[in-house]
Amino acid sequence: MSKLEKIKQQVVECTKCDLCKTRTNSVPGKGNFKSDVIFVGEAPGRNEDKNGEPFVGAAGKRLSSALEEIGVTRDSVYITNVVKCRPPNNRVPNTTERSTCVDYLNQEIAIIEPEIICILGNTAFNSILGGSEITKYRGKVVRKDNQLYFLTVHPAATIYNQELIKVLNGDIAKLFYTIAQLKEGKKVTVDIEYSS
Ligand code: URA
Ligand code: SF4
């Protein structure tokens, strides 16, 4: 069993926080373990809870179309969430749930060693970098502890605000342009340096 499969198994069986009591299925990360980028959302929603896979509902469709528009398949990237079980009624996961579950995310990152981590929305921004106001910082490249991050809006936000479809799609295009530059060994502009 690969290291990622082991984590997947642990997530499936996990009872470390109270969300295990209300979930139908845990939702481990999914995708290419050699991906240059890991996408990180907030937590599973209803469809994800039902299927055990991340971003398979309406928000997932928005993410898929943003990728499709620049010719990137979902299978070629790795997609996960800060919290792996659905919070009741899709409430925002609380700090205990986030800090308990983020250990799995940190392990996924350590194994995949992505060039860049794409943060989707405020909850992931806050959990991973302690940030807030994603709409102000989206589109930016962040470096912290020698790891690059790219910030963008949560795909679900584009459902309520159609204007954000263009924003998300433009950001994802910039993300892959940045990845291409990194792969070519070119210097990329880091917009924000975080110190830990
Ligand atoms: N929203 C998220 O943050 N993650 C999912 O997997 C689905 C919807
Ligand atoms: Fe375990 Fe995370 Fe699910 Fe809580 S949310 S039970 S920590 S997998």
Side-chain angles (χ1 to χ4, degrees):
M1 204 189 278
S2 76
K3 284 184 190 166
L4 268 178
E5 279 165 357
K6 267 188 205 147
I7 296 171
K8 191 173 169 177
Q9 199 51 42
Q10 285 168 16
V11 167
V12 166
E13 295 166 2
C14 183
T15 53
K16 286 201 291 183
C17 86
D18 281 349
L19 293 180
C20 72
K21 296 179 187 161
T22 46
R23 75 179 177 221
T24 311
N25 292 294
S26 321
V27 180
K30 187 167 188 256
N32 176 10
F33 65 96
K34 288 184 176 161
S35 177
D36 296 318
V37 53
I38 298 184
F39 288 88
V40 188
E42 175 177 305
R46 189 156 53 89
N47 286 289
E48 292 76 21
D49 176 70
K50 211 158 126 192
N51 294 287
E53 288 186 23
F55 283 99
V56 290
K61 284 211 183 85
R62 297 302 171 104
L63 178 59
S64 295
S65 16
L67 292 170
E68 266 166 35
E69 205 161 84
I70 47 160
V72 175
T73 64
R74 270 183 69 130
D75 287 348
S76 70
V77 299
Y78 190 85
I79 302 174
T80 193
N81 286 295
V82 172
V83 162
K84 305 319 197 220
C85 300
R86 183 198 184 199
N89 301 315
N90 293 352
R91 65 162 170 76
V92 177
N94 66 37
T95 46
T96 309
E97 292 153 358
R98 291 193 227 171
S99 58
T100 309
C101 207
V102 82
D103 182 44
Y104 293 121
L105 174 64
N106 290 335
Q107 291 186 62
E108 290 171 293
I109 295 168
I111 294 165
I112 296 171
E113 293 184 327
E115 297 272 358
I116 195 159
I117 295 168
C118 182
I119 290 182
L120 302 167
N122 262 320
T123 302
F125 187 26
N126 186 257
S127 306
I128 297 169
L129 293 171
S132 59
E133 296 186 275
I134 194 86
T135 45
K136 204 161 129 188
Y137 293 105
R138 52 139 287 277
K140 296 195 190 303
V141 175
V142 174
R143 182 163 51 208
K144 187 189 180 194
D145 296 335
N146 238 7
Q147 172 70 58
L148 292 178
Y149 298 84
F150 183 79
L151 308 175
T152 191
V153 295
H154 194 288
T158 70
I159 299 165
Y160 311 108
N161 181 352
Q162 302 279 316
E163 289 289 305
L164 288 179
I165 296 176
K166 271 187 269 160
V167 171
L168 176 69
N169 292 3
D171 281 354
I172 297 295
K174 184 186 171 189
L175 166 67
F176 280 87
Y177 174 73
T178 305
I179 292 170
Q181 282 189 310
L182 288 167
K183 303 284 276 182
E184 285 171 27
K186 292 196 182 131
K187 263 212 156 152
V188 307
T189 307
V190 175
D191 301 297
I192 310 169
E193 292 273 2
Y194 271 68
S195 54
S196 56

mmCIF file of all heavy atoms in Angstrom, residues 87-134:
data_model
loop_
_atom_site.group_PDB
_atom_site.id
_atom_site.type_symbol
_atom_site.label_atom_id
_atom_site.label_comp_id
_atom_site.label_asym_id
_atom_site.label_seq_id
_atom_site.Cartn_x
_atom_site.Cartn_y
_atom_site.Cartn_z
ATOM 1 N N PRO A 87 -19.353 18.770 7.669
ATOM 2 C CA PRO A 87 -19.994 19.364 8.842
ATOM 3 C C PRO A 87 -21.512 19.419 8.631
ATOM 4 O O PRO A 87 -21.959 19.687 7.515
ATOM 5 C CB PRO A 87 -19.396 20.775 8.899
ATOM 6 C CG PRO A 87 -18.187 20.733 8.020
ATOM 7 C CD PRO A 87 -18.518 19.750 6.939
ATOM 8 N N PRO A 88 -22.292 19.166 9.681
ATOM 9 C CA PRO A 88 -23.753 19.179 9.546
ATOM 10 C C PRO A 88 -24.248 20.474 8.902
ATOM 11 O O PRO A 88 -23.766 21.558 9.246
ATOM 12 C CB PRO A 88 -24.249 19.073 10.989
ATOM 13 C CG PRO A 88 -23.122 18.456 11.739
ATOM 14 C CD PRO A 88 -21.865 18.875 11.046
ATOM 15 N N ASN A 89 -25.173 20.358 7.969
ATOM 16 C CA ASN A 89 -25.734 21.508 7.245
ATOM 17 C C ASN A 89 -24.693 22.384 6.566
ATOM 18 O O ASN A 89 -24.915 23.579 6.360
ATOM 19 C CB ASN A 89 -26.592 22.380 8.172
ATOM 20 C CG ASN A 89 -27.726 21.580 8.768
ATOM 21 O OD1 ASN A 89 -28.394 20.827 8.066
ATOM 22 N ND2 ASN A 89 -27.928 21.695 10.077
ATOM 23 N N ASN A 90 -23.559 21.804 6.263
ATOM 24 C CA ASN A 90 -22.468 22.537 5.588
ATOM 25 C C ASN A 90 -21.961 23.737 6.372
ATOM 26 O O ASN A 90 -21.448 24.687 5.777
ATOM 27 C CB ASN A 90 -22.881 23.024 4.197
ATOM 28 C CG ASN A 90 -23.117 21.881 3.239
ATOM 29 O OD1 ASN A 90 -22.834 20.725 3.546
ATOM 30 N ND2 ASN A 90 -23.648 22.196 2.083
ATOM 31 N N ARG A 91 -22.090 23.717 7.699
ATOM 32 C CA ARG A 91 -21.530 24.840 8.456
ATOM 33 C C ARG A 91 -20.015 24.836 8.281
ATOM 34 O O ARG A 91 -19.425 23.821 7.888
ATOM 35 C CB ARG A 91 -21.919 24.735 9.948
ATOM 36 C CG ARG A 91 -21.338 23.533 10.662
ATOM 37 C CD ARG A 91 -21.383 23.710 12.186
ATOM 38 N NE ARG A 91 -21.046 22.470 12.863
ATOM 39 C CZ ARG A 91 -19.824 21.985 12.986
ATOM 40 N NH1 ARG A 91 -18.788 22.624 12.425
ATOM 41 N NH2 ARG A 91 -19.609 20.849 13.614
ATOM 42 N N VAL A 92 -19.395 25.981 8.555
ATOM 43 C CA VAL A 92 -17.943 26.084 8.450
ATOM 44 C C VAL A 92 -17.329 25.206 9.546
ATOM 45 O O VAL A 92 -17.785 25.251 10.696
ATOM 46 C CB VAL A 92 -17.506 27.559 8.623
ATOM 47 C CG1 VAL A 92 -15.990 27.691 8.599
ATOM 48 C CG2 VAL A 92 -18.122 28.430 7.530
ATOM 49 N N PRO A 93 -16.347 24.375 9.217
ATOM 50 C CA PRO A 93 -15.743 23.550 10.269
ATOM 51 C C PRO A 93 -15.103 24.423 11.353
ATOM 52 O O PRO A 93 -14.504 25.458 11.047
ATOM 53 C CB PRO A 93 -14.685 22.732 9.519
ATOM 54 C CG PRO A 93 -14.500 23.366 8.190
ATOM 55 C CD PRO A 93 -15.751 24.134 7.896
ATOM 56 N N ASN A 94 -15.256 24.014 12.612
ATOM 57 C CA ASN A 94 -14.718 24.833 13.706
ATOM 58 C C ASN A 94 -13.217 24.601 13.886
ATOM 59 O O ASN A 94 -12.620 23.730 13.235
ATOM 60 C CB ASN A 94 -15.516 24.593 14.999
ATOM 61 C CG ASN A 94 -15.364 23.174 15.531
ATOM 62 O OD1 ASN A 94 -14.288 22.582 15.448
ATOM 63 N ND2 ASN A 94 -16.438 22.644 16.084
ATOM 64 N N THR A 95 -12.614 25.375 14.782
ATOM 65 C CA THR A 95 -11.149 25.329 14.912
ATOM 66 C C THR A 95 -10.654 23.971 15.405
ATOM 67 O O THR A 95 -9.595 23.512 14.980
ATOM 68 C CB THR A 95 -10.633 26.446 15.842
ATOM 69 O OG1 THR A 95 -11.455 26.476 17.004
ATOM 70 C CG2 THR A 95 -10.673 27.787 15.176
ATOM 71 N N THR A 96 -11.429 23.320 16.271
ATOM 72 C CA THR A 96 -11.016 21.990 16.755
ATOM 73 C C THR A 96 -11.009 20.985 15.601
ATOM 74 O O THR A 96 -10.049 20.232 15.415
ATOM 75 C CB THR A 96 -12.004 21.480 17.844
ATOM 76 O OG1 THR A 96 -12.157 22.511 18.810
ATOM 77 C CG2 THR A 96 -11.514 20.216 18.507
ATOM 78 N N GLU A 97 -12.084 21.000 14.817
ATOM 79 C CA GLU A 97 -12.173 20.074 13.686
ATOM 80 C C GLU A 97 -11.045 20.347 12.685
ATOM 81 O O GLU A 97 -10.392 19.412 12.204
ATOM 82 C CB GLU A 97 -13.537 20.241 12.995
ATOM 83 C CG GLU A 97 -14.694 19.771 13.857
ATOM 84 C CD GLU A 97 -16.029 20.447 13.562
ATOM 85 O OE1 GLU A 97 -16.096 21.341 12.688
ATOM 86 O OE2 GLU A 97 -17.015 20.091 14.241
ATOM 87 N N ARG A 98 -10.804 21.594 12.418
ATOM 88 C CA ARG A 98 -9.759 21.940 11.455
ATOM 89 C C ARG A 98 -8.381 21.526 11.945
ATOM 90 O O ARG A 98 -7.604 20.944 11.200
ATOM 91 C CB ARG A 98 -9.738 23.443 11.229
ATOM 92 C CG ARG A 98 -10.939 23.963 10.495
ATOM 93 C CD ARG A 98 -10.652 25.351 10.058
ATOM 94 N NE ARG A 98 -11.721 26.254 10.357
ATOM 95 C CZ ARG A 98 -11.628 27.575 10.212
ATOM 96 N NH1 ARG A 98 -10.474 28.116 9.835
ATOM 97 N NH2 ARG A 98 -12.642 28.341 10.474
ATOM 98 N N SER A 99 -8.091 21.861 13.210
ATOM 99 C CA SER A 99 -6.731 21.569 13.688
ATOM 100 C C SER A 99 -6.520 20.065 13.881
ATOM 101 O O SER A 99 -5.400 19.581 13.767
ATOM 102 C CB SER A 99 -6.420 22.336 14.966
ATOM 103 O OG SER A 99 -7.358 21.996 15.954
ATOM 104 N N THR A 100 -7.604 19.325 14.134
ATOM 105 C CA THR A 100 -7.459 17.864 14.250
ATOM 106 C C THR A 100 -7.213 17.265 12.879
ATOM 107 O O THR A 100 -6.324 16.436 12.688
ATOM 108 C CB THR A 100 -8.751 17.235 14.836
ATOM 109 O OG1 THR A 100 -9.103 17.942 16.017
ATOM 110 C CG2 THR A 100 -8.554 15.767 15.173
ATOM 111 N N CYS A 101 -7.979 17.707 11.895
ATOM 112 C CA CYS A 101 -7.937 17.075 10.580
ATOM 113 C C CYS A 101 -6.768 17.532 9.717
ATOM 114 O O CYS A 101 -6.333 16.797 8.831
ATOM 115 C CB CYS A 101 -9.255 17.316 9.857
ATOM 116 S SG CYS A 101 -9.633 16.034 8.650
ATOM 117 N N VAL A 102 -6.251 18.715 9.990
ATOM 118 C CA VAL A 102 -5.221 19.283 9.107
ATOM 119 C C VAL A 102 -3.950 18.423 9.074
ATOM 120 O O VAL A 102 -3.151 18.498 8.136
ATOM 121 C CB VAL A 102 -4.901 20.756 9.495
ATOM 122 C CG1 VAL A 102 -3.927 20.849 10.659
ATOM 123 C CG2 VAL A 102 -4.414 21.533 8.286
ATOM 124 N N ASP A 103 -3.811 17.560 10.054
ATOM 125 C CA ASP A 103 -2.689 16.627 10.081
ATOM 126 C C ASP A 103 -2.667 15.745 8.816
ATOM 127 O O ASP A 103 -1.613 15.479 8.247
ATOM 128 C CB ASP A 103 -2.829 15.771 11.358
ATOM 129 C CG ASP A 103 -1.684 14.804 11.507
ATOM 130 O OD1 ASP A 103 -0.537 15.227 11.294
ATOM 131 O OD2 ASP A 103 -1.943 13.611 11.813
ATOM 132 N N TYR A 104 -3.839 15.331 8.362
ATOM 133 C CA TYR A 104 -3.913 14.523 7.131
ATOM 134 C C TYR A 104 -3.466 15.350 5.925
ATOM 135 O O TYR A 104 -2.737 14.866 5.069
ATOM 136 C CB TYR A 104 -5.341 14.005 6.904
ATOM 137 C CG TYR A 104 -5.799 13.005 7.937
ATOM 138 C CD1 TYR A 104 -6.932 13.238 8.718
ATOM 139 C CD2 TYR A 104 -5.104 11.814 8.134
ATOM 140 C CE1 TYR A 104 -7.363 12.322 9.661
ATOM 141 C CE2 TYR A 104 -5.531 10.892 9.087
ATOM 142 C CZ TYR A 104 -6.659 11.147 9.842
ATOM 143 O OH TYR A 104 -7.078 10.238 10.772
ATOM 144 N N LEU A 105 -3.909 16.597 5.876
ATOM 145 C CA LEU A 105 -3.508 17.472 4.776
ATOM 146 C C LEU A 105 -1.987 17.661 4.776
ATOM 147 O O LEU A 105 -1.342 17.575 3.727
ATOM 148 C CB LEU A 105 -4.205 18.841 4.895
ATOM 149 C CG LEU A 105 -3.753 19.896 3.888
ATOM 150 C CD1 LEU A 105 -4.084 19.496 2.455
ATOM 151 C CD2 LEU A 105 -4.379 21.259 4.198
ATOM 152 N N ASN A 106 -1.429 17.886 5.955
ATOM 153 C CA ASN A 106 0.019 18.070 6.032
ATOM 154 C C ASN A 106 0.764 16.828 5.551
ATOM 155 O O ASN A 106 1.809 16.947 4.894
ATOM 156 C CB ASN A 106 0.429 18.424 7.467
ATOM 157 C CG ASN A 106 -0.036 19.825 7.834
ATOM 158 O OD1 ASN A 106 -0.233 20.665 6.958
ATOM 159 N ND2 ASN A 106 -0.239 20.070 9.119
ATOM 160 N N GLN A 107 0.222 15.663 5.830
ATOM 161 C CA GLN A 107 0.853 14.431 5.340
ATOM 162 C C GLN A 107 0.720 14.308 3.823
ATOM 163 O O GLN A 107 1.665 13.897 3.142
ATOM 164 C CB GLN A 107 0.206 13.212 5.995
ATOM 165 C CG GLN A 107 0.520 13.093 7.478
ATOM 166 C CD GLN A 107 -0.040 11.786 8.034
ATOM 167 O OE1 GLN A 107 0.340 10.699 7.621
ATOM 168 N NE2 GLN A 107 -0.981 11.894 8.966
ATOM 169 N N GLU A 108 -0.437 14.681 3.297
ATOM 170 C CA GLU A 108 -0.623 14.631 1.835
ATOM 171 C C GLU A 108 0.394 15.547 1.153
ATOM 172 O O GLU A 108 1.025 15.174 0.165
ATOM 173 C CB GLU A 108 -2.051 15.088 1.461
ATOM 174 C CG GLU A 108 -3.148 14.124 1.868
ATOM 175 C CD GLU A 108 -4.551 14.738 1.678
ATOM 176 O OE1 GLU A 108 -4.908 15.700 2.385
ATOM 177 O OE2 GLU A 108 -5.277 14.241 0.805
ATOM 178 N N ILE A 109 0.575 16.729 1.724
ATOM 179 C CA ILE A 109 1.524 17.701 1.153
ATOM 180 C C ILE A 109 2.948 17.159 1.230
ATOM 181 O O ILE A 109 3.709 17.242 0.263
ATOM 182 C CB ILE A 109 1.415 19.069 1.880
ATOM 183 C CG1 ILE A 109 0.032 19.689 1.617
ATOM 184 C CG2 ILE A 109 2.537 20.012 1.438
ATOM 185 C CD1 ILE A 109 -0.296 20.897 2.511
ATOM 186 N N ALA A 110 3.295 16.552 2.367
ATOM 187 C CA ALA A 110 4.660 16.037 2.550
ATOM 188 C C ALA A 110 4.968 14.917 1.562
ATOM 189 O O ALA A 110 6.097 14.785 1.085
ATOM 190 C CB ALA A 110 4.833 15.554 3.988
ATOM 191 N N ILE A 111 3.979 14.109 1.225
ATOM 192 C CA ILE A 111 4.200 12.990 0.300
ATOM 193 C C ILE A 111 4.256 13.482 -1.151
ATOM 194 O O ILE A 111 5.138 13.116 -1.914
ATOM 195 C CB ILE A 111 3.087 11.928 0.455
ATOM 196 C CG1 ILE A 111 3.189 11.277 1.839
ATOM 197 C CG2 ILE A 111 3.186 10.868 -0.645
ATOM 198 C CD1 ILE A 111 1.957 10.490 2.242
ATOM 199 N N ILE A 112 3.318 14.324 -1.523
ATOM 200 C CA ILE A 112 3.219 14.775 -2.922
ATOM 201 C C ILE A 112 4.281 15.818 -3.279
ATOM 202 O O ILE A 112 4.768 15.858 -4.399
ATOM 203 C CB ILE A 112 1.786 15.294 -3.217
ATOM 204 C CG1 ILE A 112 0.792 14.131 -3.067
ATOM 205 C CG2 ILE A 112 1.675 15.909 -4.605
ATOM 206 C CD1 ILE A 112 -0.672 14.523 -3.127
ATOM 207 N N GLU A 113 4.681 16.602 -2.280
ATOM 208 C CA GLU A 113 5.666 17.677 -2.507
ATOM 209 C C GLU A 113 5.317 18.507 -3.742
ATOM 210 O O GLU A 113 6.086 18.561 -4.707
ATOM 211 C CB GLU A 113 7.077 17.084 -2.669
ATOM 212 C CG GLU A 113 7.616 16.443 -1.413
ATOM 213 C CD GLU A 113 9.047 15.953 -1.581
ATOM 214 O OE1 GLU A 113 9.418 15.521 -2.686
ATOM 215 O OE2 GLU A 113 9.796 16.031 -0.595
ATOM 216 N N PRO A 114 4.150 19.156 -3.743
ATOM 217 C CA PRO A 114 3.747 19.920 -4.923
ATOM 218 C C PRO A 114 4.604 21.184 -5.106
ATOM 219 O O PRO A 114 5.139 21.712 -4.134
ATOM 220 C CB PRO A 114 2.302 20.311 -4.591
ATOM 221 C CG PRO A 114 2.282 20.418 -3.104
ATOM 222 C CD PRO A 114 3.201 19.331 -2.616
ATOM 223 N N GLU A 115 4.695 21.625 -6.352
ATOM 224 C CA GLU A 115 5.385 22.902 -6.622
ATOM 225 C C GLU A 115 4.628 24.028 -5.920
ATOM 226 O O GLU A 115 5.224 24.981 -5.433
ATOM 227 C CB GLU A 115 5.363 23.200 -8.131
ATOM 228 C CG GLU A 115 6.080 22.209 -9.005
ATOM 229 C CD GLU A 115 7.548 22.559 -9.172
ATOM 230 O OE1 GLU A 115 7.987 23.585 -8.633
ATOM 231 O OE2 GLU A 115 8.237 21.771 -9.847
ATOM 232 N N ILE A 116 3.307 23.885 -5.925
ATOM 233 C CA ILE A 116 2.469 24.967 -5.406
ATOM 234 C C ILE A 116 1.157 24.376 -4.863
ATOM 235 O O ILE A 116 0.695 23.341 -5.336
ATOM 236 C CB ILE A 116 2.225 26.022 -6.532
ATOM 237 C CG1 ILE A 116 1.682 27.351 -5.988
ATOM 238 C CG2 ILE A 116 1.336 25.477 -7.640
ATOM 239 C CD1 ILE A 116 1.912 28.533 -6.939
ATOM 240 N N ILE A 117 0.608 25.029 -3.850
ATOM 241 C CA ILE A 117 -0.657 24.589 -3.250
ATOM 242 C C ILE A 117 -1.708 25.642 -3.565
ATOM 243 O O ILE A 117 -1.515 26.823 -3.255
ATOM 244 C CB ILE A 117 -0.499 24.425 -1.716
ATOM 245 C CG1 ILE A 117 0.498 23.292 -1.417
ATOM 246 C CG2 ILE A 117 -1.863 24.167 -1.038
ATOM 247 C CD1 ILE A 117 0.959 23.224 0.027
ATOM 248 N N CYS A 118 -2.800 25.231 -4.203
ATOM 249 C CA CYS A 118 -3.841 26.196 -4.544
ATOM 250 C C CYS A 118 -4.917 26.202 -3.461
ATOM 251 O O CYS A 118 -5.626 25.214 -3.263
ATOM 252 C CB CYS A 118 -4.450 25.875 -5.907
ATOM 253 S SG CYS A 118 -5.702 27.097 -6.362
ATOM 254 N N ILE A 119 -5.001 27.322 -2.782
ATOM 255 C CA ILE A 119 -5.945 27.501 -1.683
ATOM 256 C C ILE A 119 -7.265 28.033 -2.232
ATOM 257 O O ILE A 119 -7.303 29.092 -2.857
ATOM 258 C CB ILE A 119 -5.329 28.480 -0.653
ATOM 259 C CG1 ILE A 119 -4.161 27.761 0.037
ATOM 260 C CG2 ILE A 119 -6.375 29.000 0.324
ATOM 261 C CD1 ILE A 119 -3.471 28.574 1.106
ATOM 262 N N LEU A 120 -8.341 27.265 -1.990
ATOM 263 C CA LEU A 120 -9.664 27.644 -2.503
ATOM 264 C C LEU A 120 -10.520 28.231 -1.378
ATOM 265 O O LEU A 120 -11.060 27.492 -0.548
ATOM 266 C CB LEU A 120 -10.358 26.416 -3.090
ATOM 267 C CG LEU A 120 -9.629 25.682 -4.236
ATOM 268 C CD1 LEU A 120 -10.271 24.323 -4.504
ATOM 269 C CD2 LEU A 120 -9.617 26.523 -5.511
ATOM 270 N N GLY A 121 -10.603 29.531 -1.325
ATOM 271 C CA GLY A 121 -11.521 30.175 -0.381
ATOM 272 C C GLY A 121 -10.977 30.441 1.007
ATOM 273 O O GLY A 121 -9.871 30.030 1.369
ATOM 274 N N ASN A 122 -11.818 31.141 1.788
ATOM 275 C CA ASN A 122 -11.404 31.661 3.087
ATOM 276 C C ASN A 122 -11.053 30.618 4.146
ATOM 277 O O ASN A 122 -10.114 30.819 4.910
ATOM 278 C CB ASN A 122 -12.502 32.566 3.651
ATOM 279 C CG ASN A 122 -12.186 34.029 3.383
ATOM 280 O OD1 ASN A 122 -11.024 34.446 3.491
ATOM 281 N ND2 ASN A 122 -13.193 34.799 3.026
ATOM 282 N N THR A 123 -11.815 29.530 4.209
ATOM 283 C CA THR A 123 -11.545 28.554 5.272
ATOM 284 C C THR A 123 -10.167 27.925 5.093
ATOM 285 O O THR A 123 -9.397 27.803 6.054
ATOM 286 C CB THR A 123 -12.634 27.464 5.319
ATOM 287 O OG1 THR A 123 -13.882 28.113 5.524
ATOM 288 C CG2 THR A 123 -12.393 26.480 6.438
ATOM 289 N N ALA A 124 -9.853 27.544 3.857
ATOM 290 C CA ALA A 124 -8.520 26.975 3.602
ATOM 291 C C ALA A 124 -7.444 28.047 3.827
ATOM 292 O O ALA A 124 -6.391 27.768 4.418
ATOM 293 C CB ALA A 124 -8.444 26.416 2.191
ATOM 294 N N PHE A 125 -7.712 29.278 3.381
ATOM 295 C CA PHE A 125 -6.759 30.383 3.555
ATOM 296 C C PHE A 125 -6.458 30.592 5.047
ATOM 297 O O PHE A 125 -5.305 30.691 5.470
ATOM 298 C CB PHE A 125 -7.362 31.651 2.939
ATOM 299 C CG PHE A 125 -6.447 32.855 2.885
ATOM 300 C CD1 PHE A 125 -5.069 32.731 2.845
ATOM 301 C CD2 PHE A 125 -7.004 34.152 2.842
ATOM 302 C CE1 PHE A 125 -4.238 33.865 2.776
ATOM 303 C CE2 PHE A 125 -6.188 35.275 2.771
ATOM 304 C CZ PHE A 125 -4.805 35.133 2.746
ATOM 305 N N ASN A 126 -7.530 30.587 5.826
ATOM 306 C CA ASN A 126 -7.369 30.798 7.260
ATOM 307 C C ASN A 126 -6.678 29.611 7.938
ATOM 308 O O ASN A 126 -5.780 29.787 8.762
ATOM 309 C CB ASN A 126 -8.737 31.066 7.893
ATOM 310 C CG ASN A 126 -8.603 31.432 9.352
ATOM 311 O OD1 ASN A 126 -8.854 30.609 10.219
ATOM 312 N ND2 ASN A 126 -8.144 32.649 9.630
ATOM 313 N N SER A 127 -7.077 28.410 7.571
ATOM 314 C CA SER A 127 -6.526 27.219 8.224
ATOM 315 C C SER A 127 -5.047 27.010 7.890
ATOM 316 O O SER A 127 -4.275 26.581 8.733
ATOM 317 C CB SER A 127 -7.287 25.964 7.789
ATOM 318 O OG SER A 127 -8.658 26.127 8.020
ATOM 319 N N ILE A 128 -4.672 27.297 6.657
ATOM 320 C CA ILE A 128 -3.311 26.983 6.213
ATOM 321 C C ILE A 128 -2.348 28.143 6.445
ATOM 322 O O ILE A 128 -1.213 27.947 6.849
ATOM 323 C CB ILE A 128 -3.327 26.565 4.724
ATOM 324 C CG1 ILE A 128 -4.160 25.280 4.554
ATOM 325 C CG2 ILE A 128 -1.908 26.334 4.201
ATOM 326 C CD1 ILE A 128 -4.465 24.925 3.113
ATOM 327 N N LEU A 129 -2.821 29.373 6.200
ATOM 328 C CA LEU A 129 -1.910 30.523 6.300
ATOM 329 C C LEU A 129 -2.342 31.550 7.345
ATOM 330 O O LEU A 129 -1.694 32.587 7.517
ATOM 331 C CB LEU A 129 -1.783 31.204 4.930
ATOM 332 C CG LEU A 129 -1.089 30.388 3.822
ATOM 333 C CD1 LEU A 129 -1.231 31.099 2.481
ATOM 334 C CD2 LEU A 129 0.392 30.154 4.145
ATOM 335 N N GLY A 130 -3.460 31.276 8.010
ATOM 336 C CA GLY A 130 -3.943 32.236 9.012
ATOM 337 C C GLY A 130 -4.519 33.499 8.395
ATOM 338 O O GLY A 130 -4.698 34.504 9.081
ATOM 339 N N GLY A 131 -4.830 33.437 7.095
ATOM 340 C CA GLY A 131 -5.305 34.636 6.399
ATOM 341 C C GLY A 131 -6.809 34.819 6.451
ATOM 342 O O GLY A 131 -7.547 33.959 6.936
ATOM 343 N N SER A 132 -7.258 35.969 5.969
ATOM 344 C CA SER A 132 -8.682 36.236 5.801
ATOM 345 C C SER A 132 -8.847 37.184 4.614
ATOM 346 O O SER A 132 -7.859 37.708 4.093
ATOM 347 C CB SER A 132 -9.277 36.842 7.074
ATOM 348 O OG SER A 132 -8.615 38.027 7.385
ATOM 349 N N GLU A 133 -10.092 37.403 4.229
ATOM 350 C CA GLU A 133 -10.395 38.277 3.080
ATOM 351 C C GLU A 133 -9.762 37.785 1.774
ATOM 352 O O GLU A 133 -8.981 38.481 1.140
ATOM 353 C CB GLU A 133 -9.931 39.709 3.360
ATOM 354 C CG GLU A 133 -10.649 40.383 4.508
ATOM 355 C CD GLU A 133 -10.224 41.842 4.628
ATOM 356 O OE1 GLU A 133 -9.203 42.107 5.268
ATOM 357 O OE2 GLU A 133 -10.914 42.674 4.036
ATOM 358 N N ILE A 134 -10.143 36.589 1.389
ATOM 359 C CA ILE A 134 -9.582 35.981 0.168
ATOM 360 C C ILE A 134 -9.848 36.834 -1.072
ATOM 361 O O ILE A 134 -9.010 36.893 -1.973
ATOM 362 C CB ILE A 134 -10.119 34.537 -0.016
ATOM 363 C CG1 ILE A 134 -9.306 33.761 -1.054
ATOM 364 C CG2 ILE A 134 -11.600 34.500 -0.385
ATOM 365 C CD1 ILE A 134 -8.095 33.079 -0.565
#
